[in-house]
């Protein structure tokens, strides 16, 4: 510690000395050397540095105290920082939470998380959820103490309002703790799937035959996106089509365990009309527990915690046989989204809020529209090249595809055969001269006779609404799906990912839920040309599987994507919203949570109740 004693004699500026002390404190933290850390703090105080008001200089001390098991002293430092009105972060509390988790002190850990939320508005993220679950599993409390089960379920339910999933790293830690496995054992166990068809990536090798069913295949790994001040962790949207947001994707080998034929064909007596939504979160469902007959093997399913992937066809978890459901906006969430949109428009200009309200009045005077086309997004899709332009023909092709879809549904006996289409266009694109934003320099072009004819047809067929000048057309196509008084679901045809949309910050959870349940993505096959000079380069999807992670798998079969299905034709394809939502969900009757990974194509199936015995299966 000679350097600590020599620092006061240095002629360097005060900030340089402070940085030296902070560096030494960090070294003490890494070595878990509390006496040296306290000596450095004393040296700082002797030089009149306000160490007690700096989070960066107190954090190493907090960590050292927690490493030595002196959690109370660590909390004293935290409370001092709070008293001095300093902004604290999750990292400030993590050493304390980790210490509680190591000791298995679940209630102290949850009390600390509650304090963080109420006092500082610090919302638990994936790491903190994992700590709570690991703490609960330390003393095997899930199956013995009803109070613990209720407490942890309440915590997970509250966390699910803000968090869409967990990191794969945290999932591994939870499986290790709850099943008493090593990290290597969790990896070798693999991701449980119903069948080979539920493995999205190409299979690299089959290491064992059934009944173990271990195979290795490529899985997509992608980075998470954090919005709203680290409150919400958002995974890649499962509906994103190919050609979009692929920069952060990489492929990693993943082991999978495929259920054998006997287990795969377990009796399924689900009544799809028997689920009930909770009033507050729409994630609590009361399905009967499904298991194999007493003569069937049970080693492959119903683990307390298991990494799984969900079947795109049955939507069932292969571990517990519980369904993963589509989660739609509640009436309260719709009202909040409406209010947020009006607020955003009003911030833009008071007249814009007025125009958006008038649009809502106009919608209520019309027969409901079922498909809303984001005209500008469709027209500019893949037009970013030298001769690109605002393509009215692409809008017309999407409308024609939707009309074909509606006619097909009618021929198949769809009860609602009079579905309507609405195309939204900004005012600047219904003039004689329109912008062309595909060029490096903003240019204007005159409408061709063909473009005018398309506009006239849309207007004559009462499919066109012109968005007022200066307005953001996003407000209008979102508002059209949730305006007050709407009775049936509506879908927006767009490839706009809205990654930076203001609504994501005002109402993060409803925004993500809206996006995953109301957007129909689109694309054009490679043999399509919008005119004699324009070539659309999207891969021909008729020979590819478009995966949940935006990757392509060469196949000769129909396209099936996780919980999304591509409707493929020669020139245009559409992506319907998925059969289930990639959100944290709970099956109350069996005490099972399902949590999607935020960085990998897999889920965690987690039990917070006593494991059902074979005699329980017929209750």
């Amino acid at each position: 510690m000679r350097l600590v004693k020599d620092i006061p004699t240095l002629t360097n500026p005060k900030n340089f000395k402070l940085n030296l002390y902070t560096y030494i404190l960090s070294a003490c933290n890494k070595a878990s050397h509390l006496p040296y850390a306290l000596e450095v703090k004393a040296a700082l105080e002797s030089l009149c540095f306000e160490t007690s008001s700096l989070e960066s200089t107190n954090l190493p001390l907090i960590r050292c105290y927690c490493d030595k098991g002196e959690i109370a002293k660590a909390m004293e430092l935290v409370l001092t920082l709070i008293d001095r009105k300093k902004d604290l972060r999750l990292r400030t509390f993590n050493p304390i939470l980790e210490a509680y988790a190591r000791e298995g002190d679940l209630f102290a850990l949850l009390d600390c998380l509650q304090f963080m939320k109420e006092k500082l508005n610090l919302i638990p993220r994936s790491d903190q959820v994992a700590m709570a679950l690991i703490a609960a599993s330390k003393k095997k409390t899930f199956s013995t103490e009803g109070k613990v089960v209720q407490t942890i379920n309440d915590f997970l339910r509250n966390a699910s309002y803000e968090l869409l999933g967990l990191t794969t790293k945290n999932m591994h830690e939870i499986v290790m703790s709850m099943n008493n496995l090593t990290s290597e054992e969790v990896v070798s166990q693999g991701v449980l799937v119903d069948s080979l068809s539920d493995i999205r990536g190409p299979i690299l090798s089959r290491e064992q035959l059934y009944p173990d069913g271990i195979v290795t295949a490529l899985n997509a790994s992608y980075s998470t996106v954090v919005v709203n001040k680290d409150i919400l962790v958002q995974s890649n949207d499962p509906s994103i089509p190919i050609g979009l947001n692929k920069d952060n994707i990489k492929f990693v080998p993943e082991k999978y365990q495929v259920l054998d034929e006997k287990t795969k064909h377990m009796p399924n007596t689900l009544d799809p009309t028997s689920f009930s939504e909770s009033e507050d979160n729409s994630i609590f469902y009361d399905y009967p527990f499904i298991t194999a007959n007493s003569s069937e093997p049970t080693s492959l399913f119903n683990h307390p915690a298991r990494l799984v992937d969900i079947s795109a066809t049955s939507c069932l978890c292969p571990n517990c046989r519980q369904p993963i459901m589509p989660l739609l906006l509640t009436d309260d969430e719709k009202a909040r989204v409406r209010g947020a949109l009006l607020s955003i428009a009003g911030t833009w200009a008071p007249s814009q809020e007025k125009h958006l309200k008038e649009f809502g009045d106009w919608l209520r005077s019309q027969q409901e529209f079922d498909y809303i086309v984001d005209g500008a997004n469709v027209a500019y899709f893949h037009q970013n090249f030298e001769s690109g332009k605002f393509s009215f023909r692409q809008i017309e092709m999407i409308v024609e595809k939707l009309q074909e879809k509606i006619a097909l549904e009618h021929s198949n006996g769809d009860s609602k055969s009079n579905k309507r289409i609405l195309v939204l266009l900004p005012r600047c694109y219904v003039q004689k001269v329109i912008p062309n934003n595909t060029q490096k320099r903003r240019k204007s072009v005159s409408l061709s006779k063909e473009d005018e004819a398309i506009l006239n047809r849309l207007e004559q067929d009462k499919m066109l609404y012109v968005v007022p000048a200066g307005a953001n057309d996003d407000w209008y196509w979102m508002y059209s799906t949730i305006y007050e008084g709407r009775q049936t679901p509506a879908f927006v045809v767009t490839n706009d990912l809205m990654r930076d949309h203001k609504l994501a910050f005002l109402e993060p959870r409803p925004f993500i839920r809206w996006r995953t349940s109301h957007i129909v993505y689109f694309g054009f096959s490679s043999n399509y040309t919008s005119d004699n000079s324009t070539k659309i380069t999207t891969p021909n999807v008729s020979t590819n599987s478009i995966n949940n992670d935006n990757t392509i798998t060469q196949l000769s079969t129909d396209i099936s994507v996780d919980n999304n299905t591509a409707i493929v034709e020669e020139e245009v394809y559409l992506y319907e919203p998925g059969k289930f939502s990639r959100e944290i969900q709970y099956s109350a009757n069996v005490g099972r949570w399902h949590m999607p990974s935020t960085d990998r194509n897999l889920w965690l199936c987690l039990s917070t109740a006593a494991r059902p015995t074979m005699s329980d299966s017929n209750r």
Side-chain angles (χ1 to χ4, degrees):
M1 296 299 290
R2 179 178 176 180
L3 179 59
V4 174
K5 297 177 181 179
D6 290 343
I7 290 176
T9 64
L10 298 176
T11 58
N12 300 82
K14 182 177 180 179
N15 284 342
F16 178 81
K17 296 178 182 179
L18 176 60
N19 289 336
L20 275 179
Y21 279 124
T22 304
Y23 176 80
I24 297 171
L25 274 172
S26 297
C28 293
N29 164 48
K30 291 179 180 178
S32 296
H33 206 300
L34 181 59
Y36 281 169
L38 291 172
E39 186 177 337
V40 175
K41 182 181 179 182
L44 277 165
E45 290 174 340
S46 68
L47 292 176
C48 299
F49 287 132
E50 297 180 355
T51 58
S52 57
S53 65
L54 296 175
E55 190 265 357
S56 59
T57 54
N58 276 273
L59 182 57
L61 285 168
I62 293 171
R63 289 171 175 160
C64 286
Y65 275 128
C66 291
D67 287 344
K68 299 299 182 183
E70 300 183 39
I71 305 175
K73 290 186 177 180
M75 277 301 299
E76 287 179 12
L77 289 177
V78 169
L79 293 174
T80 300
L81 293 173
I82 293 174
D83 289 340
R84 292 180 176 268
K85 309 297 183 183
K86 296 301 177 180
D87 291 331
L88 303 188
R89 292 179 279 175
L90 283 173
R91 74 170 191 176
T92 316
F93 288 89
N94 265 350
I96 297 171
L97 297 171
E98 289 169 353
Y100 285 138
R102 285 195 300 270
E103 295 180 1
D105 195 342
L106 173 66
F107 293 108
L109 188 151
L110 294 181
D111 286 343
C112 184
L113 288 172
Q114 186 70 18
F115 171 82
M116 293 161 55
K117 183 176 181 180
E118 292 179 353
K119 198 80 171 173
L120 304 170
N121 196 31
L122 292 175
I123 308 299
R125 290 176 57 191
S126 180
D127 286 342
Q128 290 74 44
V129 172
M131 290 177 198
L133 290 169
I134 290 170
S137 67
K138 287 288 185 182
K139 297 179 180 179
K140 311 294 183 184
T141 49
F142 281 146
S143 60
T144 59
E145 296 183 28
K147 181 182 177 182
V148 173
V149 172
Q150 184 62 46
T151 300
I152 199 69
N153 280 337
D154 289 344
F155 166 71
L156 290 174
R157 173 161 41 173
N158 291 330
S160 73
Y161 298 145
E162 311 289 350
L163 196 69
L164 289 185
L166 304 179
T167 65
T168 303
K169 173 180 175 291
N170 288 148
M171 289 182 173
H172 273 261
E173 293 168 346
I174 293 167
V175 174
M176 287 169 57
S177 180
M178 294 197 67
N179 296 333
N180 195 26
L181 298 174
T182 66
S183 178
E184 292 75 15
E185 287 171 332
V186 173
V187 172
S188 63
Q189 190 181 55
V191 177
L192 190 65
V193 293
D194 268 333
S195 65
L196 289 172
S197 63
D198 293 320
I199 300 176
R200 301 190 195 98
I203 294 175
L204 303 179
S205 66
R206 301 191 184 195
E207 300 176 21
Q208 294 173 319
L209 299 176
Y210 291 119
D212 293 328
I214 298 292
V215 301
T216 301
L218 288 182
N219 195 359
S221 176
Y222 43 84
S223 62
T224 57
V225 178
V226 183
V227 299
N228 200 24
K229 296 181 181 179
D230 293 343
I231 291 177
L232 182 71
V233 177
Q234 171 201 335
S235 68
N236 274 24
D237 190 297
S239 302
I240 295 176
I242 56 173
L244 297 175
N245 197 28
K246 294 170 64 176
D247 295 339
N248 295 328
I249 302 290
K250 65 179 181 179
F251 297 96
V252 294
E254 190 93 73
K255 282 193 175 183
Y256 292 87
Q257 187 172 42
V258 185
L259 294 176
D260 65 14
E261 291 300 314
K262 289 183 179 180
T263 309
K264 185 171 63 176
H265 297 294
M266 289 188 298
N268 185 347
T269 58
L270 279 180
D271 176 6
T273 65
S274 65
F275 73 90
S276 58
E277 295 186 1
S278 70
E279 294 181 358
D280 57 354
N281 202 29
S282 303
I283 62 171
F284 292 85
Y285 301 95
D286 296 317
Y287 279 83
F289 183 79
I290 297 177
T291 184
N293 296 325
S294 58
S295 60
E296 298 286 354
T298 62
S299 59
L300 291 180
F301 66 96
N302 204 22
H303 292 268
R306 190 70 160 89
L307 298 179
V308 302
D309 206 355
I310 307 302
S311 170
T313 52
S314 69
C315 303
L316 295 178
C317 169
N319 185 50
C320 67
R321 313 312 296 171
Q322 294 298 299
I324 310 301
M325 305 301 298
L327 305 181
L328 305 178
L329 289 174
T330 64
D331 290 341
D332 175 67
E333 287 173 328
K334 290 177 184 177
R336 285 160 53 192
V337 171
R338 285 195 299 269
L341 287 172
L342 290 170
S343 175
I344 293 169
T347 302
W348 197 279
S351 60
Q352 295 299 347
E353 182 178 358
K354 177 175 175 289
H355 291 324
L356 190 55
K357 288 181 178 178
E358 291 172 348
F359 177 59
D361 295 336
W362 179 82
L363 287 170
R364 280 185 285 275
S365 70
Q366 305 290 311
Q367 177 187 328
E368 290 186 354
F369 293 95
D370 302 272
Y371 292 99
I372 293 86
V373 179
D374 179 4
N377 182 267
V378 170
Y380 276 127
F381 181 66
H382 277 186
Q383 292 291 328
N384 191 24
F385 52 90
E386 187 61 29
S387 58
K389 66 174 187 177
F390 188 91
S391 173
F392 285 91
R393 173 57 186 152
Q394 289 183 186
I395 296 175
E396 185 177 50
M397 291 176 67
I398 291 293
V399 170
E400 289 172 349
K401 170 57 62 179
L402 289 171
Q403 290 173 328
E404 290 175 14
K405 181 179 183 299
I406 292 169
L408 179 62
E409 291 172 351
H410 176 55
S411 66
N412 291 335
D414 192 325
S415 58
K416 185 179 179 183
S417 59
N418 58 338
K419 291 183 178 179
R420 300 187 68 200
I421 302 168
L422 179 66
V423 177
L424 295 176
L425 280 175
R427 180 167 295 280
C428 60
Y429 292 108
V430 295
Q431 313 296 323
K432 292 291 184 181
V433 177
I434 65 172
N436 184 0
N437 293 329
T438 65
Q439 305 297 323
K440 291 182 179 179
R441 293 183 178 180
R442 190 181 183 95
K443 295 182 179 179
S444 297
V445 296
S446 299
L447 282 187
S448 66
K449 291 182 179 180
E450 291 79 7
D451 293 340
E452 287 188 19
I454 293 172
L455 270 177
N456 289 335
R457 283 195 294 273
L458 291 174
E459 191 168 8
Q460 290 169 6
D461 294 340
K462 299 182 179 180
M463 292 185 185
L464 180 64
Y465 188 90
V466 179
V467 176
N472 188 331
D473 56 349
D474 293 12
W475 311 334
Y476 284 75
W477 43 258
M478 292 185 73
Y479 201 83
S480 64
T481 64
I482 46 88
Y483 65 87
E484 189 172 6
R486 181 167 193 104
Q487 300 298 315
T488 59
F491 303 96
V492 178
V493 181
T494 183
N495 281 344
D496 188 342
L497 300 181
M498 301 179 289
R499 290 194 185 96
D500 300 318
H501 203 287
K502 288 184 178 180
L503 187 62
F505 295 88
L506 291 178
E507 292 290 349
R509 178 63 173 237
F511 171 75
I512 296 298
R513 185 168 286 185
W514 178 89
R515 197 179 73 170
T516 56
S517 59
H518 286 277
I519 288 186
V520 174
Y521 295 99
F522 69 91
F524 300 99
S525 58
S526 59
N527 59 353
Y528 159 65
T529 54
S530 60
D531 56 31
N532 292 333
S533 62
T534 303
K535 183 77 171 179
I536 302 298
T537 57
T538 303
N540 190 333
V541 296
S542 61
T543 58
N544 295 291
S545 171
I546 304 171
N547 299 319
N548 180 48
D549 50 35
N550 315 328
T551 60
I552 309 168
T553 302
Q554 297 291 330
L555 290 176
S556 58
T557 57
D558 293 337
I559 293 178
S560 181
V561 192
D562 187 15
N563 56 329
N564 300 277
T565 301
I567 303 169
V568 183
E569 295 293 339
E570 183 179 357
E571 294 181 345
V572 181
Y573 58 90
L574 304 173
Y575 285 84
E576 300 288 346
K579 293 180 181 179
F580 58 84
S581 298
R582 195 174 177 84
E583 294 184 37
I584 296 174
Q585 302 188 29
Y586 183 57
S587 300
N589 62 312
V590 294
R592 282 279 175 179
W593 289 90
H594 292 92
M595 305 178 183
S597 169
T598 58
D599 53 25
R600 197 78 66 83
N601 282 326
L602 51 86
W603 291 66
L604 173 67
C605 173
L606 172 72
S607 173
T608 55
R611 182 178 176 181
T613 63
M614 299 310 297
S615 60
D616 295 327
S617 61
N618 295 321
R619 287 188 301 181

